[in-house]
Amino acid sequence: MESLFTSFLNAGISGTVMIGTVVILRLLLKRAPRSLVCLLWIPVLVRLVLPFSIPASFSLQPDLHYRPEP
């Protein structure tokens, strides 16, 4: 049950970061075409709808499952 909670927590945190990034990009791209602005929201939609993540060797988000050896 803890694993399920942490996976939803990770998805929520990364979705929040992506939403913030899109909002900042929208402010910077005020003169961009409307279609480009709509395309910015597609990765956010995919991140919030899909319950899994693709593992990467580099991430800005800390790994909550990592426990160092004593």
Side-chain angles (χ1 to χ4, degrees):
M1 192 65 153
E2 182 180 331
S3 174
L4 182 64
F5 175 73
T6 55
S7 66
F8 279 120
L9 181 65
N10 283 337
I13 290 171
S14 64
T16 303
V17 169
M18 290 178 75
I19 289 170
T21 304
V22 169
V23 168
I24 291 170
L25 285 173
R26 283 189 64 195
L27 292 173
L28 295 174
L29 300 172
K30 285 188 178 185
R31 296 188 183 257
R34 195 63 142 167
S35 60
L36 178 65
V37 173
C38 290
L39 286 175
L40 289 174
W41 287 105
I42 290 176
V44 175
L45 175 70
V46 170
R47 177 66 219 146
L48 293 176
V49 169
L50 296 179
F52 60 88
S53 61
I54 300 170
S57 60
F58 175 75
S59 175
L60 296 176
Q61 183 178 356
D63 186 14
L64 296 178
H65 297 290
Y66 175 72
R67 293 190 178 115
E69 296 292 325

